[in-house]
């Protein structure tokens, strides 16, 4: 379950890392280029550039296991979602608007930490694969003593509640 | 062409964090950022482990990891396939990685909480450039020139020769430090630098020479153990930190987590001495034998300003400066030396002399001038002694020897650092009270020159 406050973070211009693995359990990493929260927080749609994502897509088609980490460069606030991919398709024209918004928002995040737009805006983002996954678990990955703890465990009482805040996310949207 | 690990130097400076993917034996992948990837040799890298986490649990079961490295200069991306080899919890590799972590921890008030648990060494199985990560350069985006990282001067031996010559010709400590910092700037472009020496207490380092900070660098204090400079003093090892912004952000993220989890952060965050927007720091201990005689710090706004070459080069210069400091402190007492290091600069008395009011507070050996803090501790006591003596007897020339023999100054019997204290005092006067000058007349002897009238008051404490 991705909660409303978390969804805003996921859909902002934060850094997206996608982890998968081969049938032989060899890990693979690639940068994502946009994300949307779907199905009331039960699912996540992640975009992966075709230019760099071939191995990742092959892994997903093999076994569907995926981990996606979202990290804000400025303060390292990080969340990781894990689950199983339920659909892979090529991005549509509607998806392209999401990816393009992400590209600009991410460039702004990176500008804050000193990466110039002439570089960040050159990262290949389109065409992209759209990968839809069902979220099974979420982890707070913000570096520190609690890194890797299950995220939002205290909220599992039921959906629809307004979360009073969560470990490591004070002040986050 | 397959890239070579040894050619990916800028990727290992921590300017842009790396990413690591691993996989548990049950098939669940994990992906996260890494605080430090360290180049070990052409076949191995080491990843820093500060906390026990999923990445370590995974490699314990399944030793493979994929790391994405981002070149902070070209912004090309590289994919490294790694196999976990072993962990190191002591030794040179651990110490080097640990020192960098300690520095960041110390700067963010996290000393003891954010620390290296182990240096995990991985064999590099393959390296590939991630083709297509960047689209071709866009002329519209590319209007700005790329950052230049050229940097190794062509004639470094000539540069070393020049600096070495200037250092060895210096006749007193102040000149030695000034020419060394000037030469580092002129010859190699290290334009923001400072030398700090231990103070009386052994608890702090005091800046006695600086270049590139205007007049405000001298007198700045660093507690031994705090920040980059203070950590270098304790560990007596060089440290180079690039991408300071990135590293401090990482440290602060951990600080926030620790505060929230109730582990506490007793130490306040320490502001960096020097450039407020420094991106790279290099600090090295100045040692003679195992004895620390000072710390040389160099800063830059360019996160990639310093590399291995700078480390090696500054180490050589640092050794020369350290020996020079030791030599000056050993021989500055030679009153009979004929060498006149700087002729007294007697100014014509101005027709209207100002009047300066000096107050000495006995409880903390502190001197204020016209209500403003001037100097304290042994430099404060020296100033007071000189001013009082001058008022009582008219004496205007003083020797290091008589200061050493004066029990009220409390100078230690050996290695008293008198010369460095005189430099600090002289610099503080130049900055805050140029009407009062202590001018070296020959080695071990200086003259008091007054361009103003002085009024002296002694008090027990500020409240007295």
């Amino acid at each position: 379950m991705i909660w409303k406050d978390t969804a805003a973070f996921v859909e902002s211009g934060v850094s997206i890392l996608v982890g998968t693995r081969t049938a032989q359990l060899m890990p693979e990493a690639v940068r994502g280029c946009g994300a949307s929260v779907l199905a009331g927080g039960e699912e996540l749609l992640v975009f992966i550039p075709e230019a760099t994502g071939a191995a990742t897509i092959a892994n997903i088609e093999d076994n569907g296991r995926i981990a996606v980490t979202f990290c804000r460069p400025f303060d390292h606030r990080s969340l990781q979602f894990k689950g199983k991919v339920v659909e892979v398709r090529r991005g549509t024209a509607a998806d392209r608007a999401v990816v393009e918004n992400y590209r600009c928002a991410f460039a702004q995040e990176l500008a804050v930490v000193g990466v110039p737009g002439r570089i960040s805006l050159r990262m290949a983002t389109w065409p992209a694969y759209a990968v839809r996954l069902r979220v099974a678990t979420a982890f707070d990955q913000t570096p520190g003593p609690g890194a890797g703890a299950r995220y939002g465990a205290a909220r599992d009482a039921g959906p629809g509640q307004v979360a009073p805040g969560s470990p490591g996310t004070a002040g986050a949207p | 062409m397959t890239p070579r690990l040894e050619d990916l130097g800028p990727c290992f400076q921590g300017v842009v964090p790396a990413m690591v993917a691993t996989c548990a034996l049950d098939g669940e992948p994990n992906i996260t950022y890494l605080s430090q990837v360290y180049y070990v040799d052409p076949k191995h890298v080491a990843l820093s482990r500060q906390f026990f986490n999923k990445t370590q649990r995974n490699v314990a079961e399944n030793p493979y990891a994929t790391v994405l490295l981002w070149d902070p200069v070209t912004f090309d991306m590289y994919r490294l396939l790694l196999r976990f080899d072993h962990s190191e919890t002591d030794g040179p590799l651990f110490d080097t990685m640990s020192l960098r972590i300690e520095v960041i921890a110390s700067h963010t008030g996290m000393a003891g909480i954010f620390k290296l648990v182990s240096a995990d060494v991985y064999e590099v199985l393959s390296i590939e450039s991630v083709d297509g990560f960047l689209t071709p350069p866009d002329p519209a985006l590319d209007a700005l020139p790329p950052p230049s990282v050229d940097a190794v001067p062509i004639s470094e031996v000539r540069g070393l020769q020049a600096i070495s010559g200037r250092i060895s010709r210096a006749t007193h400590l102040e000149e030695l430090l000034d020419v060394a910092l000037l030469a580092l700037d002129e010859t190699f472009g290290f334009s923001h630098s400072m030398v700090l020496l231990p103070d009386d207490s052994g608890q702090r380092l005091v800046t006695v020479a600086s270049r590139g900070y205007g007049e405000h660098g001298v007198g700045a204090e660093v507690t031994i153990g705090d920040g980059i400079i203070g950590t270098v003093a304790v560990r007596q090892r060089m440290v180079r930190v690039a991408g300071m912004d990135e590293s401090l952000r990482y440290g602060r993220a951990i600080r926030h987590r620790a505060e929230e989890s109730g582990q506490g952060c007793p130490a306040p965050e320490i502001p960096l001495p020097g450039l407020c927007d420094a991106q790279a720091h290099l600090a090295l201990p100045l040692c003679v034998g195992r004895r620390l005689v000072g710390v040389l710090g160099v800063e830059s706004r360019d996160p990639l300003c310093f590399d291995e070459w700078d480390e090696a080069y500054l180490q050589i210069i640092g050794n020369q400066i350290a020996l020079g400091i030791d030599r000056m402190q050993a021989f500055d007492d030679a009153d009979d030396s004929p060498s006149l290091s700087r002729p007294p600069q007697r100014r014509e008395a101005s027709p209207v002399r100002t009047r300066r009011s000096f107050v000495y507070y006995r409880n903390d050996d502190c001197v204020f001038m016209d209500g403003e803090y001037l100097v304290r501790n042994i430099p404060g006591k020296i100033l007071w002694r000189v001013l009082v003596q001058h008022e009582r007897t008219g004496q205007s020339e003083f020797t290091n020897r008589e200061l050493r023999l004066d029990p009220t100054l409390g100078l230690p019997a050996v290695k008293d650092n008198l010369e460095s204290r005189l430099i600090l005092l002289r610099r503080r006067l130049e900055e805050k009270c140029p009407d009062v000058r202590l001018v070296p007349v020959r080695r071990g002897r200086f003259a008091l020159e007054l361009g103003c009238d002085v009024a002296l008051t002694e008090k027990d404490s500020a409240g007295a």
Side-chain angles (χ1 to χ4, degrees):
Chain A
M1 165 62 72
I2 302 172
W3 294 73
K4 197 173 172 184
D5 56 345
T6 312
F9 176 76
V10 163
E11 294 177 350
S12 67
V14 296
S15 173
I16 303 173
L17 313 180
V18 178
T20 57
R21 51 88 173 173
T22 67
Q24 293 75 38
L25 305 188
M26 299 296 268
E28 167 63 13
V30 73
R31 274 192 176 277
C33 59
S36 300
V37 175
L38 305 176
E42 301 290 339
E43 293 183 356
L44 191 58
L45 183 65
V46 180
F47 297 97
I48 295 169
E50 287 190 12
T52 52
T56 293
I57 297 302
N59 289 345
I60 288 170
E61 287 172 344
D62 174 78
N63 57 71
R65 303 290 290 267
I66 191 168
V68 187
T69 290
F70 296 86
C71 177
R72 184 161 53 201
F74 181 68
D75 60 1
H76 288 279
R77 183 194 174 195
S78 303
L79 295 172
Q80 181 170 219
F81 300 95
K82 296 186 178 184
K84 186 105 178 165
V85 173
V86 292
E87 182 190 27
V88 182
R89 58 176 173 77
R90 289 188 181 274
T92 63
D95 293 329
R96 185 166 189 174
V98 176
V99 170
E100 188 58 24
N101 280 342
Y102 173 81
R103 186 174 82 102
C104 296
F106 185 45
Q108 285 182 356
E109 287 284 344
L110 287 181
V112 173
V113 296
V115 179
R118 65 186 165 75
I119 296 295
S120 54
L121 290 170
R122 276 178 52 208
M123 285 186 217
T125 52
W126 195 262
Y129 295 103
V131 172
R132 186 160 59 90
L133 62 127
R134 193 148 195 86
V135 176
T137 48
F139 300 88
D140 191 340
Q141 297 282 122
T142 306
R150 280 286 285 271
Y151 179 70
R155 307 185 196 184
D156 288 347
Q161 299 169 9
V162 176
S166 55
T169 59
Chain B
M1 196 176 87
T2 305
R4 298 186 309 169
L5 197 62
E6 54 269 45
D7 294 334
L8 304 185
C11 297
F12 299 113
Q13 296 210 13
V15 178
V16 181
M19 297 141 253
V20 60
T22 54
C23 183
L25 216 48
D26 68 5
E28 183 180 84
N30 192 80
I31 186 157
T32 186
Y33 274 113
L34 270 175
S35 66
Q36 200 180 159
V37 180
Y38 191 86
Y39 172 85
V40 177
D41 62 40
K43 291 283 179 198
H44 295 88
V45 292
L47 311 187
S48 61
R49 187 210 298 183
Q50 288 86 252
F51 306 100
F52 190 72
N53 58 31
K54 188 70 179 160
T55 297
Q56 278 74 46
R57 279 198 290 274
N58 283 355
V59 296
E61 299 176 358
N62 172 22
Y64 296 97
T66 292
V67 164
L68 294 182
L69 289 175
W70 211 7
D71 187 308
V73 178
T74 65
F75 289 89
D76 289 327
M77 187 167 272
Y78 298 94
R79 179 190 282 110
L80 273 53
L81 179 61
L82 310 178
R83 181 168 52 211
F84 176 71
D85 192 81
H86 67 279
S87 291
E88 295 187 14
T89 53
D90 56 21
L93 172 68
F94 179 84
D95 287 347
T96 303
M97 293 179 71
S98 178
L99 188 53
R100 185 191 152 96
I101 302 263
E102 274 180 39
V103 160
I104 301 304
S106 177
H107 261 298
T108 49
M110 292 286 298
I113 296 172
F114 177 31
K115 61 184 178 188
L116 188 68
V117 174
S118 70
D120 293 343
V121 179
Y122 289 73
E123 181 186 357
V124 179
L125 301 177
S126 70
I127 306 169
E128 60 180 283
S129 172
V130 180
D131 295 332
F133 173 67
L134 290 181
T135 56
D138 179 341
L141 297 174
D142 228 11
L144 293 171
S148 72
V149 242
D150 130 21
V152 179
I154 298 163
S155 59
E156 55 261 44
V157 176
R158 286 270 177 218
L160 274 175
Q161 181 191 26
I163 294 184
S164 171
R166 290 201 211 179
I167 289 174
S168 61
R169 282 193 296 274
T171 54
H172 55 81
L173 184 59
E174 191 172 9
E175 182 186 358
L176 180 143
L177 298 178
D178 283 348
V179 298
L181 298 188
L182 173 69
L184 283 172
D185 184 356
E186 290 181 346
T187 316
F188 291 102
F190 298 117
S191 52
H192 300 282
S193 57
M194 59 182 109
V195 173
L196 298 92
L197 304 183
D199 79 347
D200 324 326
S201 67
Q203 305 295 311
R204 284 181 300 273
L205 295 159
V206 185
T207 312
V208 295
S210 73
R211 184 165 178 83
Y213 305 109
E215 292 181 342
H216 303 294
V218 169
E221 294 184 0
V222 174
T223 301
I224 289 179
D226 279 351
I228 294 176
I229 301 260
T231 305
V232 162
V234 170
R235 299 287 297 271
Q236 298 200 0
R237 284 179 68 98
M238 172 184 284
V239 69
R240 167 166 59 106
V241 184
M244 210 48 199
D245 262 14
E246 175 53 40
S247 301
L248 290 180
R249 269 195 302 279
Y250 194 86
R252 284 176 186 136
I254 292 167
R255 180 185 172 92
H256 293 148
R257 293 302 303 269
E259 283 169 345
E260 285 162 5
S261 65
Q263 293 193 17
C265 295
E269 196 166 335
I270 302 150
L272 287 173
L275 291 176
C276 60
D277 52 352
Q279 288 289 307
H281 296 255
L282 199 158
L284 70 154
L286 303 173
C287 293
V288 175
R290 292 177 175 273
R291 185 164 47 86
L292 181 87
V293 299
V295 174
L296 171 64
V298 188
E299 295 184 307
S300 174
R301 293 189 176 93
D302 176 359
L304 293 173
C305 178
F306 308 123
D307 58 18
E308 285 79 5
W309 184 90
D310 298 304
E311 281 189 8
Y313 174 75
L314 283 170
Q315 191 74 68
I316 297 170
I317 298 298
N319 289 342
Q320 296 226 337
I321 295 174
L323 289 169
I325 291 172
D326 203 47
R327 176 169 60 91
M328 297 299 172
Q329 288 175 344
F331 294 111
D332 70 352
D333 219 9
D335 288 348
D336 300 331
S337 160
S339 66
L340 191 67
S341 58
R342 185 196 288 186
Q345 298 167 354
R346 299 198 182 276
R347 295 183 189 173
E348 292 298 317
S350 64
V352 182
R353 284 166 72 91
T354 51
R355 185 175 179 79
R356 301 282 186 202
S357 170
F358 290 81
V359 179
Y360 176 69
Y361 294 103
R362 277 187 288 264
N363 67 323
D364 55 2
D365 302 319
C366 209
V367 178
F368 277 61
M369 193 270 303
D370 290 345
E372 197 181 342
Y373 167 72
L374 181 63
V375 70
R376 69 177 173 184
N377 294 336
I378 288 181
K381 288 201 269 191
I382 292 172
L383 174 65
W384 197 250
R385 182 193 187 280
V386 165
L387 290 174
V388 167
Q389 191 82 357
H390 177 74
E391 187 183 63
R392 284 182 189 158
T393 68
Q395 180 182 351
S396 63
E397 280 204 7
F398 301 84
T399 66
N400 289 5
R401 182 170 292 162
E402 70 180 278
L403 297 180
R404 292 205 162 93
L405 294 173
D406 183 343
T408 64
L409 294 180
L411 285 161
V414 289
K415 298 294 176 193
D416 57 21
N417 296 338
L418 176 59
E419 192 65 19
S420 65
R421 285 151 178 161
L422 286 171
I423 292 174
L424 176 62
L425 175 56
R426 206 173 285 136
R427 294 281 168 92
R428 286 293 294 172
L429 287 169
E430 283 169 10
E431 186 183 330
K432 296 287 180 190
C433 183
D435 290 335
V436 176
R437 294 177 296 280
L438 301 179
V439 182
V441 289
R442 69 178 59 173
R443 186 177 291 166
R445 182 183 288 267
F446 62 90
L448 171 68
E449 292 182 5
L450 293 176
C452 62
D453 293 328
V454 297
L456 306 179
T457 312
E458 242 181 274
K459 294 183 177 179
D460 284 332
S461 67

